Amino acid sequence: QPAQVTQADVVVIGGGFGGLGCALALAEAGRRVVVLERVGYLGGCAGTFTRHGEQFEAGATLSAGLRPDQLFGRWLARHNLDVAVQWLDPVVELRSADVQLAVPAQRPALVAALAQLAGDRANNVRQFFALQQQVAQALWPVLDDPSLLPPLKLQALLRHTARLPQYLPLLRWLGRPLLEVLEEYGLADEPHVRLLCDTACQITVQCPAAEAEAVLALATLDYWFAGAAHVVGGIGRLATALGEAIAGLQG
């Protein structure tokens, strides 16, 4: 049951993972938090709902960041939350009308599989994923550490300054779509690579590779390897657990 609150420091509108993460971080910092959600379950497009006794996913079926050293993993351990995950290999199988692709849990296996499928463009695949790995290694530490996101304190600015050599090679692709990167590497029409890129972009930034901003999209291609797992009982169980953590802090 929700806490009975008459005053709050912060009201968070929306119980998706963005709202829940915001609310939990604030509650951990000692703020009095209220989360408002219009439907009967938490998680938003990554929630699980019940109809006529059966469970359905609202959208997402997979979450990243679940390793013990990552944000969800740290929250689960810190608040002793009852969430079990299932680590799969392959992580998912992607399908279109023309092709299908099993995505292994390890990057080298995925690159090797795509290179084999690409035939005489195998080296193009390897070069593209060398760039992708460079971008991911520059950005994932930022995405996984809220202290490196705005508003920035002096310590965070100093850490970003030290990382400038990693950021500078990315400037070329700022403001350009991922499709332009694929075209540069001769892979825009390679069906398996294109399926992977379009799917990863749709899952993470809700648009295809032709529209997704290249730098962010290249980083999100690491989604499959970034502590991605299926949550036992539906992804909404993770959302519900974060809600329980907020309630445990009097939110």
Side-chain angles (χ1 to χ4, degrees), residues 40-176:
Y41 59 89
L42 295 173
C45 64
T48 304
F49 62 91
T50 302
R51 291 290 184 274
H52 306 295
E54 301 291 339
Q55 285 192 327
F56 301 89
E57 304 289 35
T61 61
L62 186 73
S63 178
L66 289 165
R67 291 196 309 258
D69 63 314
Q70 294 178 307
L71 192 57
F72 280 137
R74 294 196 298 268
W75 275 333
L76 296 178
R78 191 152 64 229
H79 298 281
N80 194 29
L81 300 177
D82 182 19
V83 174
V85 300
Q86 186 178 16
W87 303 97
L88 301 179
D89 192 1
V91 181
V92 293
E93 184 175 286
L94 309 179
R95 299 183 183 184
S96 72
D98 304 311
V99 298
Q100 62 185 57
L101 175 69
V103 180
Q106 301 297 325
R107 175 202 301 276
L110 174 63
V111 176
L114 288 170
Q116 184 175 11
L117 290 166
D120 59 1
R121 288 187 281 182
N123 198 47
N124 302 53
V125 170
R126 297 186 190 98
Q127 291 174 345
F128 172 78
F129 277 95
L131 171 67
Q132 185 274 321
Q133 185 173 24
Q134 180 185 31
V135 175
Q137 288 175 339
L139 293 190
W140 269 98
V142 178
L143 298 174
D144 203 40
D145 185 349
S147 70
L148 290 174
L149 298 173
L152 296 176
K153 297 181 180 179
L154 177 60
Q155 184 179 14
L157 287 171
L158 292 174
R159 289 174 65 190
H160 279 299
T161 301
R163 292 171 56 82
L164 279 177
Q166 292 178 267
Y167 297 152
L168 290 176
L170 315 185
L171 293 177
R172 176 188 176 193
W173 299 109
L174 284 177
R176 299 168 66 181

Side-chain angles (χ1 to χ4, degrees), residues 128-129 131-133 135-136 139-140 143 173-174 176-179 181-182 196-202 204-224:
F128 172 78
F129 277 95
L131 171 67
Q132 185 274 321
Q133 185 173 24
V135 175
L139 293 190
W140 269 98
L143 298 174
W173 299 109
L174 284 177
R176 299 168 66 181
L178 179 59
L179 180 59
V181 184
L182 292 170
L196 179 78
C197 291
D198 279 332
T199 305
C201 290
Q202 290 285 4
T204 56
V205 293
Q206 284 81 59
C207 63
E211 301 172 21
E213 201 275 334
V215 172
L216 182 59
L218 286 165
T220 59
L221 280 171
D222 250 33
Y223 176 81
W224 321 105

